[in-house]
């Protein structure tokens, strides 16, 4: 305890310079803790949103009438419809009361809406005023707004629509609201693992380095002071505790200030929102565990760094007081880099040779481990590589500036570690983030020029079918069906059929050759696997039914005639070998009844898609429409993930730049005696500036080259383990190189003002 008090007394009584250094340490720790709090708050925000989603889930709203938790005597019906509104999901819950017992309304509603009544979220209320066509999706009169307790986030598009039991014949039996999990979570657990992995590399690893840099401010002068205390009789452990007292006090005060700064940031950003992601301020409140990590973890890291930093002064105080030459860094610093690179190289080779790993659970452990090992290896290898290169260049150069800079880096390789680490890790993390974004962009979304809409034919009566095909924006339609397969039969072969005229088919596809009206034919799709069951001469039954319920069976023989076919949908609408059946082949008024769907086609322009969906809702708002290639919930998740990754990159940029500024400024202040001595010996300011820039730029350039190479390798290995279609990404390399070059330029410019014009001989006075 005496050593801790001594450390605090030395802090308060060591002059203005020591107090300024302490203030910088506090500010740096506050920035780091604020960034750490942001990262720790993200899972809590997502969990709070999912909890509110689960609390409002209709227990049997699967829309198919099946329920395992309630009996058919449930007092209500519910039907959930999720549709895309642009790139956002629009959720509609249709509810109908069927029994005398009242149903407890979901959170956010004072009561359930009756037939013809609608409760909407505030954002949806604003959109209804701007887009009148949206009201066709929400039939009824608006009677109120959903409060915050019933919404995942303030900008959510959500509505409860009252209906009659006759309108919800296909709805699930509803007894109450609330489920143990959210049907459509804000971020899927597997995607959340990707987010945690990326934020750990982008933010937490540079953050640990930054906090260590802040705890090591003015290391040289502090070591000389600690060495003096050791020579005066203070014990080895006592010397380490004295140094740790200052760093812990700064870290603890910085942690408190950082948490206060996070509270302000959370209140402001939650109200303004981020692109595609908003939350309520209460959701961003830190948990007890997160507070413990910030208030205990950061001071504990400072204590460790402080004790390690004082080890040299405690063990060999005379060498510190006499400014003895530092020992060269040990080669053990390369140890983490070797296995890390071995893992990523192994995955890259596996991807290049086509042996993509299939054990995703093993890769989920090995890949993050490789990323951490490579990142740690980058940090620890910088002094070794910087010293080796500096020694080599100093031997062969004839330039005074370059020679002085290289000799300084040779005798003080640890300076490269402090100055360059933050920016090197920033570039390394940027490459990893790019790989994550590439993998997320492979999620199914419509990139084709057309949009396909699929509806179960059983849900669309014949009279509504005719109206749906004439909805404004629809430019083609067809019916797709499967031949009948007898239940329990050992023979399960069937064929797919498209029921349309040649004119309908041409409006659905970009390539239709050899089509003759009234004649069946096989559709041949180039590049697609042919259906083995579709052999000329084979016969398959199709079960038909009309609006009166009469049934018939028509046997269709696979024809020899073929049609070259190709459409522009996100996935080919039909498989190769499907049979085109003219509608005239079936009796008038009869339609397929087994696994048949109605397909509509429109332009993929957002306005056209919105118009078609509104037109379909105008015919029947309860129809379930599958928008091929557009998963509204998945696209919303991708938007959230991209926004959070952008937040992580911004935090990483702040940490990287702050680490550079703190370390470069501190190093320049420490080197003032050497610079003053060189100036008194006749060195010109231009030479000194060139020396300072070279000292900073050279180790930084080495680190950046390593960061780009290892980052691209780690990115490629991550894509290989992700199982997507893209393994190698060369498009992002120019941007990464440009970013690295920009970092070097900024670092060089930042080093120029650190050489003052005034010579102060007092700086070279011996202590």
């Amino acid at each position: 305890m005496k050593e801790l008090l001594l450390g605090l007394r030395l802090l308060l009584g060591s002059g203005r310079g020591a107090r300024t250094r302490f203030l910088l340490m506090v500010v740096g720790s506050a920035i780091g803790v604020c960034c750490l709090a942001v990262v720790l708050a993200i899972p809590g925000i997502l969990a709070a949103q999912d909890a509110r989603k689960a609390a409002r889930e209709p227990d049997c709203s699967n829309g198919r009438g099946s329920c395992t938790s309630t009996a058919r005597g449930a007092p209500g019906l519910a039907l959930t419809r999720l549709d895309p509104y642009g790139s956002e999901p629009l959720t509609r819950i249709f509810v109908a009361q069927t029994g005398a017992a009242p149903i407890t309304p979901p959170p956010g509603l004072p009561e359930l809406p009756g037939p013809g009544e609608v409760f909407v979220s505030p954002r949806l209320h604003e959109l209804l005023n701007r887009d009148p066509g949206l009201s066709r999706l929400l039939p009824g009169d608006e009677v109120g707004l959903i409060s915050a307790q019933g919404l995942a986030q303030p900008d959510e598009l959500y509505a409860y629509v009252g209906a009659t039991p006759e309108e919800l014949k296909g709805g699930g039996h509803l007894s109450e609201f609330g489920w143990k999990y959210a049907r459509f979570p804000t971020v899927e657990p597997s995607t959340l693992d990707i987010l945690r992995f990326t934020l750990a590399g982008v933010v937490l690893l540079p953050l640990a380095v930054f906090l260590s840099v802040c705890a090591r401010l003015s290391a040289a002068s502090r070591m000389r002071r600690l060495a003096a205390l050791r020579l005066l009789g203070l014990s080895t452990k006592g010397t380490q505790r004295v140094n740790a007292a200052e760093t812990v006090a700064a870290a603890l005060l910085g942690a408190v200030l950082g948490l206060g700064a996070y509270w302000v940031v959370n209140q402001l950003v939650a109200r303004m929102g981020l692109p595609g992601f908003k939350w309520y301020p209460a959701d961003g409140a830190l948990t007890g565990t997160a507070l413990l990590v910030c208030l205990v973890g950061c001071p504990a890291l400072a204590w460790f760094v402080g004790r390690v930093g004082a080890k040299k002064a405690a063990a060999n105080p005379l060498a510190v007081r006499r400014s003895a030459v530092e020992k060269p860094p040990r080669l053990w610093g390369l140890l983490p880099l070797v296995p890390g690179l071995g893992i990523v190289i192994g995955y890259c080779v596996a991807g290049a040779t086509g042996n993509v790993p299939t054990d995703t659970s093993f890769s989920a452990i090995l890949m993050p481990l490789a990323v951490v090992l490579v990142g740690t290896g980058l940090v620890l290898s910088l002094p070794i590589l910087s010293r080796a290169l500096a020694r080599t260049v100093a031997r062969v150069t004839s330039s005074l500036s370059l020679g002085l800079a290289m000799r300084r880096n040779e005798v003080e390789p640890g300076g490269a570690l402090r100055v360059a680490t933050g920016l090197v890790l920033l570039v390394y993390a940027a490459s990893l983030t790019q790989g994550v974004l590439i993998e997320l962009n492979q999620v199914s979304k419509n990139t084709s020029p057309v949009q396909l809409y699929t509806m179960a034919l059983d849900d669309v009566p014949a009279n509504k079918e005719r109206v749906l095909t004439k909805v404004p924006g629809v430019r083609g339609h067809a019916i797709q069906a499967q031949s009948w397969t007898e239940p329990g039969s050992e023979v399960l072969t069937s064929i797919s059929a498209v029921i349309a005229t040649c004119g309908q088919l041409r409006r659905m596809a970009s390539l239709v050759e050899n089509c003759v009206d009234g004649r069946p034919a096989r559709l041949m799709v180039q590049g697609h696997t042919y259906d083995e069951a579709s052999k000329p001469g084979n016969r398959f039954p199709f079960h038909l039914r009309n609006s009166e319920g009469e049934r018939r069976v028509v046997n269709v023989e696979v024809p020899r005639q073929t049609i070259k076919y190709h459409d522009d949908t996100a996935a080919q609408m039909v498989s190769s070998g499907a049979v085109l059946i003219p509608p005239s082949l079936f009796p008038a008024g009869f339609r397929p009844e087994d696994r048949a769907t109605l397909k509509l086609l429109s332009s993929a322009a957002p306005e056209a898609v919105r118009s078609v969906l509104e037109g379909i809702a105008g015919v029947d708002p309860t129809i379930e429409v599958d928008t091929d290639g557009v998963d509204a919930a998945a696209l919303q998740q991708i938007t959230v993930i991209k926004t959070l990754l952008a937040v992580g990159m911004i935090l990483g940029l702040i940490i990287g730049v702050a680490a550079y500024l703190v370390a470069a400024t501190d190093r320049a202040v420490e080197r003032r005696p050497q610079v003053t001595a060189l100036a008194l010996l006749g060195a010109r300011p231009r030479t000194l500036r060139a020396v300072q820039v070279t000292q900073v730029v050279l180790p930084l350039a080495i680190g950046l080259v390593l960061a780009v190479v290892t980052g691209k390798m780690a990115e490629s290995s991550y894509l290989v383990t992700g199982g997507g279609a893209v393994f190698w990404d060369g498009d992002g390399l120019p941007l990464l190189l440009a970013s690295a070059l920009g970092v070097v330029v900024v670092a060089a410019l930042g080093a120029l003002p650190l050489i003052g014009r005034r010579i102060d001989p007092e700086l070279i006075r011996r202590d």
Side-chain angles (χ1 to χ4, degrees):
M1 190 65 184
K2 291 188 299 181
E3 291 87 355
L4 299 179
L5 294 176
L6 176 60
L8 296 178
R9 290 183 64 184
L10 288 174
L11 169 64
L12 298 175
S14 297
R16 186 176 61 182
R19 289 191 292 271
T20 301
R21 181 183 68 243
F22 178 78
L23 181 61
L24 289 175
M25 292 169 65
V26 169
V27 172
S29 299
I31 294 174
V33 169
C34 183
C35 295
L36 177 62
V38 171
V39 175
L40 295 178
I42 290 174
I45 293 173
L46 299 177
Q49 293 186 355
D50 287 344
R52 287 194 295 274
K53 287 184 176 183
R56 72 189 182 192
E57 282 287 349
D59 57 354
C60 294
S61 61
N62 52 22
R64 293 173 176 80
S66 60
C67 179
T68 58
S69 61
T70 59
R72 285 193 171 274
L77 295 173
L79 193 67
T80 299
R81 290 291 177 256
L82 182 66
D83 303 295
Y85 186 81
S87 60
E88 301 178 73
L90 167 60
T91 306
R92 298 173 292 153
I93 307 294
F94 292 87
V95 293
Q97 189 93 6
T98 60
I103 302 175
T104 303
L109 289 189
E111 59 183 1
L112 281 179
E117 296 179 343
V118 180
F119 282 93
V120 297
S121 62
R123 171 88 188 289
L124 192 52
H125 170 75
E126 296 176 2
L127 291 177
L128 283 169
N129 294 330
R130 299 200 302 262
D131 184 6
L134 189 58
S135 60
R136 286 182 283 185
L137 292 164
L138 306 167
D141 299 324
E142 183 182 322
V143 294
L145 299 178
I146 306 172
S147 65
Q149 290 79 9
L151 297 175
Q153 47 99 357
D155 277 354
E156 191 174 19
L157 302 180
Y158 209 86
Y160 293 92
V161 183
T164 62
E166 292 74 20
E167 293 172 324
L168 301 184
K169 290 181 180 179
H173 298 281
L174 172 68
S175 60
E176 62 182 3
F177 288 88
W179 199 243
K180 56 186 176 182
Y181 57 85
R183 194 179 305 275
F184 302 105
T186 305
V187 177
E188 292 287 348
S190 58
T191 312
L192 188 58
D193 291 338
I194 296 175
L195 179 64
R196 291 194 184 103
F197 160 74
T198 309
L199 290 181
V202 174
V203 180
L204 297 184
L205 188 59
L207 181 61
V209 174
F210 174 58
L211 291 175
S212 300
V213 168
C214 291
R216 290 277 292 158
L217 284 177
S218 296
S221 59
R222 289 162 65 189
M223 291 307 101
R224 291 176 61 82
R225 185 180 64 190
L226 293 172
L229 292 175
R230 180 74 179 92
L231 291 173
L232 290 174
L234 195 63
S235 66
T236 300
K237 292 185 177 179
T239 304
Q240 292 177 317
R241 293 193 191 104
V242 169
N243 188 50
E246 181 177 0
T247 58
V248 169
L252 186 59
L253 182 56
V256 174
L257 293 178
L259 291 175
Y262 167 75
W263 184 87
V264 175
V265 169
N266 177 54
Q267 296 295 322
L268 293 177
V269 178
R271 286 170 170 78
M272 294 185 297
L274 298 172
F277 184 53
K278 289 189 72 174
W279 66 94
Y280 294 104
D283 295 345
L286 294 176
T287 63
T289 304
L291 290 173
L292 193 65
V293 170
C294 293
L295 292 175
V296 177
C298 293
L301 176 63
W303 172 267
F304 174 77
V305 173
R307 286 181 60 86
V308 172
K311 186 176 180 180
K312 181 180 177 181
N316 194 354
L318 285 176
V320 173
R321 293 297 301 177
R322 294 173 178 174
S323 301
V325 177
E326 293 185 10
K327 292 182 179 179
R330 304 285 181 86
L331 292 180
W332 65 264
L334 297 173
L335 190 60
L337 192 62
V338 174
L341 284 178
I343 295 172
V344 298
I345 291 174
Y347 277 126
C348 290
V349 172
T353 56
N355 300 313
V356 180
T358 56
D359 189 353
T360 56
S361 59
F362 182 69
S363 297
I365 299 173
L366 199 59
M367 191 61 230
L369 177 63
V371 169
V372 173
L373 287 175
V374 172
T376 306
L378 280 177
V379 174
L380 298 180
S381 63
L382 278 180
I384 302 173
L385 300 177
S386 176
R387 182 178 185 274
L389 182 62
R391 191 174 185 179
T392 302
V393 173
R395 287 175 178 173
V396 298
T397 185
S398 58
S399 169
L400 175 62
S401 301
L402 187 58
L404 287 174
M406 293 302 98
R407 289 303 182 188
R408 170 52 58 183
N409 281 349
E410 181 183 354
V411 300
E412 191 189 357
L417 177 66
R418 286 191 292 156
V419 175
T421 298
L423 297 177
V424 168
L425 286 179
L426 178 62
V427 173
Y428 173 68
S431 184
L432 283 176
T433 306
Q434 184 174 257
V436 174
L437 291 176
I438 291 170
E439 184 187 28
L440 293 176
N441 283 332
Q442 297 182 63
V443 174
S444 176
K445 62 179 181 179
N446 191 10
T447 56
S448 67
V450 295
Q451 177 62 56
L452 188 66
Y453 312 84
T454 303
M455 292 154 278
L457 200 60
D458 289 341
D459 297 337
V460 183
N463 59 335
K464 290 184 178 180
E465 178 191 342
R466 289 189 291 270
V467 179
L468 287 173
T469 59
K470 298 178 181 178
V471 165
V474 173
R475 69 188 198 192
H477 69 279
I479 292 177
Q480 189 172 6
Q482 291 290 125
S483 62
W484 173 260
T485 301
E486 195 70 34
S489 172
E490 296 181 0
V491 181
L492 301 177
T493 56
S494 64
I495 59 168
S496 175
V498 177
I499 304 167
T501 64
C502 288
Q504 289 176 245
L505 194 65
R506 290 190 180 97
R507 287 191 290 271
M508 296 288 289
S510 57
L511 174 64
V512 177
E513 294 183 0
N514 306 324
C515 185
V516 179
D517 279 319
R519 180 187 297 176
R522 287 174 294 150
L523 301 177
M524 308 297 291
V525 184
Q526 186 176 3
H528 279 233
T529 304
Y530 187 78
D531 186 358
E532 292 295 334
S534 181
K535 295 181 179 179
N538 288 352
R539 298 177 65 87
F540 294 90
F542 283 84
H543 284 218
L544 312 177
R545 184 175 58 182
N546 63 8
S547 57
E548 283 76 26
E550 298 178 9
R551 287 180 168 82
R552 292 189 184 180
V553 177
V554 173
N555 291 307
V556 175
E557 182 179 334
V558 178
R560 295 187 178 277
Q561 292 79 10
T562 60
I563 295 175
K564 288 186 178 180
Y565 174 89
H566 186 272
D567 61 53
D568 297 324
T569 56
Q572 283 290 318
M573 185 178 67
V574 295
S575 59
S576 189
V579 177
L580 173 67
I581 301 177
S584 58
L585 194 65
F586 292 157
F590 283 83
R591 304 186 305 167
E593 65 172 347
D594 183 43
R595 294 178 291 172
T597 57
L598 172 65
K599 295 184 178 292
L600 308 178
L601 193 75
S602 78
S603 166
E607 299 79 10
V609 174
R610 188 180 306 167
S611 174
V612 171
L613 289 175
E614 291 173 353
I616 294 173
V619 178
D620 185 349
T622 64
I623 294 179
E624 184 174 13
V625 183
D626 179 18
T627 48
D628 180 60
V630 178
D631 187 340
L635 290 179
Q636 177 71 8
Q637 288 190 39
I638 297 303
T639 301
V640 171
I641 290 295
K642 286 183 176 180
T643 298
L644 294 178
L645 288 180
V647 171
M649 284 303 299
I650 292 173
L651 294 178
L653 179 62
I654 293 173
I655 293 169
V657 172
Y660 166 73
L661 293 176
V662 168
T665 303
D666 181 57
R667 188 165 183 260
V669 171
E670 283 189 351
R671 290 201 61 249
R672 284 186 302 172
Q674 290 85 4
V675 172
T676 301
L678 290 173
L680 290 175
L681 290 174
R684 293 180 299 177
R686 180 184 302 176
T687 302
L688 296 177
R689 289 192 178 91
V691 170
Q692 182 67 21
V693 170
T694 306
Q695 283 178 304
V696 173
V697 167
L698 183 66
L700 181 60
I702 297 173
L704 290 177
V705 170
L706 274 176
V708 171
V709 174
T710 58
K712 292 301 294 182
M713 292 172 61
E715 173 197 346
S716 298
S717 60
Y718 174 79
L719 291 174
V720 169
T721 58
V726 177
F727 288 171
W728 320 110
D729 169 50
D731 295 338
L733 187 58
L735 178 61
L736 202 61
L737 293 175
S739 301
L741 182 61
V743 166
V744 172
V745 173
V746 170
L749 294 177
L752 289 176
L754 300 181
I755 301 297
R757 295 186 177 183
R758 186 174 64 87
I759 298 176
D760 185 5
E762 181 67 16
L763 291 173
I764 60 175
R765 178 182 63 86
R766 294 189 62 84
D767 293 342

